[in-house]
Amino acid sequence: EAGVAQSPRYKIIEKRQSVAFWCNPISGHATLYWYQQILGQGPKLLIQFQNNGVVDDSQLPKDRFSAERLKGVDSTLKIQPAKLEDSAVYLCASSRDQGTEAFFGQGTRLTVV
Amino acid sequence: AQSVSQHNHHVILSEAASLELGCNYSYGGTVNLFWYVQYPGQHLQLLLKYFSGDPLVKGIKGFEAEFIKSKFSFNLRKPSVQWSDTAEYFCAVRGNNRLAFGKGNQVVVIP
């Protein structure tokens, strides 16, 4: 079974630029999560989808972050414009449904300079 | 919303020593509990999970964890660690369908 795929693995951008991350969850998984992991901290949930609907985006900085999962499969997370404090690893995870274990991708390491 | 606390962020121990990592959470409702591990250069992987039943759960690689509901705790243990257990360990709690993580424990095992 293929795991959660994320791209790119690494990204370096200047502040005020925009960036997008892509995630393809495990086939058949209805729940998709985006987490932000800043160095030295645990993953922080940004947004959670159930199929193509948003379940929880209470910690998503909506003035600059957006995410979509239009067909209920893959998802994109966008930051526009980026700030220095957005430097982090962005993790995508999926689970069969909201009550089961989550499987994580390798993450995208973003550096904003 | 629930919160998850992990203490002693950095742990250094010798091979064959015992390991115990604490995890406490704040949430009054029904929870699912997890420990994830992240080996150097790899992605987060599930070590073990508790959904219901026996509060003492066994996971991969000789790890176990005990859910103590009255203490809102889910501590991770391993009787004898190996150098390959060097990794970062995260406790996670699902409550009301939100999966929240602690800050993690960086564990270094010295050969």
Side-chain angles (χ1 to χ4, degrees):
Chain A
E1 180 182 67
V4 177
Q6 289 188 249
S7 66
R9 286 293 310 277
Y10 305 92
K11 190 75 177 178
I12 301 174
I13 61 171
E14 294 182 349
K15 59 184 179 184
R16 291 188 289 275
Q17 285 187 322
S18 62
V19 64
F21 312 127
W22 175 82
C23 172
N24 191 21
I26 293 172
S27 177
H29 280 196
T31 309
L32 186 147
Y33 315 78
W34 282 103
Y35 285 86
Q36 179 193 58
Q37 187 175 17
I38 292 172
L39 188 65
Q41 299 182 22
K44 173 185 141 185
L45 179 68
L46 292 176
I47 190 167
Q48 178 176 333
F49 292 94
Q50 181 68 15
N51 296 308
N52 61 347
V54 175
V55 173
D56 186 343
D57 63 356
S58 57
Q59 299 189 96
L60 185 75
K62 298 180 185 65
D63 57 334
R64 298 184 300 107
F65 285 64
S66 64
E68 59 183 17
R69 192 185 185 201
L70 291 175
K71 295 182 179 179
V73 181
D74 56 349
S75 175
T76 55
L77 176 70
K78 297 178 182 177
I79 308 175
Q80 182 179 13
K83 293 184 176 182
L84 295 176
E85 58 261 37
D86 297 332
S87 294
V89 176
Y90 290 85
L91 299 168
C92 180
S94 71
S95 59
R96 197 162 33 245
D97 60 48
Q98 293 185 93
T100 56
E101 68 192 73
F103 295 83
F104 283 80
Q106 293 271 32
T108 296
R109 183 177 297 278
L110 173 67
T111 302
V112 183
V113 298
Chain B
Q2 71 271 35
S3 64
V4 184
S5 297
Q6 291 181 248
H7 307 291
N8 302 323
H9 185 65
H10 295 279
V11 178
I12 302 174
L13 59 168
S14 301
E15 276 192 319
S18 63
L19 172 68
E20 179 159 2
L21 302 177
C23 173
N24 290 89
Y25 65 92
S26 62
Y27 185 75
T30 302
V31 293
N32 302 141
L33 301 160
F34 308 84
W35 275 96
Y36 281 84
V37 61
Q38 188 166 28
Y39 298 105
Q42 296 188 25
H43 62 283
L44 280 163
Q45 302 169 42
L46 185 70
L47 257 186
L48 48 75
K49 61 187 178 185
Y50 172 80
F51 278 49
S52 63
D54 189 345
L56 182 63
V57 292
K58 296 190 184 299
I60 60 171
K61 303 187 180 185
F63 285 90
E64 64 178 32
E66 185 175 13
F67 171 46
I68 302 179
K69 189 174 180 179
S70 61
K71 296 185 177 180
F72 297 89
S73 69
F74 189 56
N75 294 352
L76 180 71
R77 296 191 292 257
K78 184 169 183 178
S80 176
V81 295
Q82 300 173 310
W83 173 79
S84 57
D85 292 323
T86 293
E88 191 152 18
Y89 294 80
F90 294 94
C91 180
V93 177
R94 173 180 278 125
N96 198 25
N97 288 325
R98 175 194 281 194
L99 184 61
F101 284 78
K103 290 189 174 183
N105 296 105
Q106 182 67 55
V107 175
V108 175
V109 179
I110 301 170

